[in-house]
Amino acid sequence: MSEASRRQLLLNSVAFAAAGAMSIPLLGEALPQPSPGKEAPGEKEPEVTATEDLMREHGVIRRALLVYYEVIPKLRQNPGSVDAAALRETARLFRTFGEDYHERMLEEQHIFPLIRKQGAELKGYADVLTAQHQRGREVTDYVLAVTNGGKISAAHAEPLARVFETFVLMYQNHAAREDTIVFPAWKRNFTDKQLDEIGDQFEEIEHKMFGKDGFEDAEKKISGIEQVLGFADLAQFTPPPPPKL
Ligand SMILES: [Fe+2]
Ligand SMILES: [Fe+2]
């Protein structure tokens, strides 16, 4: 795709998003083929497909959910020991990368409008998933509010622990259904070539919103938060062997 037509697609998409329209841009029609072999090997990052893009975003979101999950027992035992600033950073990442970008710009603009037309069951999914995005935004507002003062007050500790429990369970189900039901159904609407074009378009939206690479930056942010909270070493999560029978 030429730089000009790519830019136009992006502008269309941003305009749709700004207007809150439920339409999707026309894709894959008479778009010029990318010229193969133009870039020398090593000059270009390996291609990330549209669904791989969405699923690796879920990876960052799941790591934020794991931060929430790990903090639950600490909130109950000793809320004063919880690093409110790190929790607040997690909620900020959830907002910018999870809600404003992944949910609003990709799923609600590109994925859900199409699957709504693919039968009652998928329409039902789109409705519930949209309502869950909205509930998630309320949760993020709440987390940002109770972490505002630098410490979690005793009065907020148990309500926040309960919010995290129910929110993590909701979002794990949410992302898992999207990965296994919604994204595969959405993908069936397109040829491989069209999916390539959409992948490029998603990347353009990402660059437009975050600068060079929103995913890499978000991954670095969640890694930093894990480091601060002591969750960085993956091996600590390997459980002991199960009881011998
Ligand atoms: Fe979603
Ligand atoms: Fe999602």
Side-chain angles (χ1 to χ4, degrees):
M1 190 180 351
S2 76
E3 205 46 44
S5 59
R6 190 174 283 187
R7 202 155 285 143
Q8 192 50 51
L9 269 179
L10 171 66
L11 286 174
N12 289 345
S13 164
V14 171
F16 274 119
M22 295 304 286
S23 350
I24 55 143
L26 290 173
L27 288 161
E29 286 179 10
L31 289 169
Q33 288 273 11
S35 40
K38 209 177 166 189
E39 282 155 328
E43 271 182 19
K44 197 176 180 295
E45 287 286 312
E47 193 78 32
V48 177
T49 64
T51 44
E52 182 189 350
D53 205 23
L54 290 158
M55 289 167 79
R56 71 178 188 167
E57 287 160 15
H58 279 172
V60 169
I61 289 170
R62 284 193 170 100
R63 286 167 68 181
L65 293 172
L66 284 164
V67 166
Y68 289 167
Y69 176 79
E70 290 294 328
V71 157
I72 294 169
K74 292 186 177 74
L75 280 169
R76 291 197 163 124
Q77 284 150 21
N78 183 6
S81 73
V82 172
D83 186 332
L87 263 191
R88 194 172 168 74
E89 270 309 295
T90 310
R92 279 214 191 100
L93 179 64
F94 214 102
R95 166 115 321 152
T96 54
F97 188 74
E99 296 169 4
D100 293 346
Y101 170 60
H102 174 86
E103 295 177 1
R104 189 171 278 128
M105 296 300 284
L106 302 186
E107 292 179 344
E108 292 173 18
Q109 293 299 318
H110 293 268
I111 314 294
F112 298 170
L114 270 195
I115 67 155
R116 277 181 199 285
K117 297 174 189 160
Q118 290 176 257
E121 196 185 341
L122 284 164
K123 187 189 172 301
Y125 271 111
D127 291 344
V128 175
L129 293 167
T130 304
Q132 292 185 337
H133 286 175
Q134 195 42 47
R135 184 55 42 80
R137 286 162 196 153
E138 292 167 37
V139 166
T140 301
D141 283 343
Y142 178 74
V143 178
L144 289 170
V146 300
T147 54
N148 197 17
K151 282 241 174 278
I152 314 283
S153 75
H156 286 134
E158 179 57 29
L160 182 59
R162 283 201 203 131
V163 164
F164 280 160
E165 269 173 349
T166 51
F167 179 62
V168 170
L169 183 64
M170 178 198 87
Y171 218 106
Q172 290 286 16
N173 273 287
H174 180 104
R177 309 299 171 97
E178 287 178 342
D179 286 343
T180 55
I181 298 167
V182 172
F183 299 161
W186 171 78
K187 220 176 152 176
R188 287 200 290 273
N189 292 289
F190 303 105
T191 64
D192 286 350
K193 178 178 175 288
Q194 287 173 319
L195 283 167
D196 268 358
E197 304 285 1
I198 297 167
D200 288 346
Q201 192 189 2
F202 283 4
E203 246 177 79
E204 293 285 345
I205 296 168
E206 187 181 323
H207 287 194
K208 179 89 178 172
M209 278 191 78
F210 298 110
K212 189 135 180 64
D213 195 320
F215 170 77
E216 253 176 45
D217 189 48
E219 199 282 327
K220 272 192 199 116
K221 275 199 182 122
I222 195 66
S223 284
I225 292 166
E226 289 165 346
Q227 196 79 44
V228 165
L229 293 173
F231 303 148
D233 178 17
L234 179 60
Q236 74 185 287
F237 299 108
T238 311
K244 287 208 165 25
L245 292 174

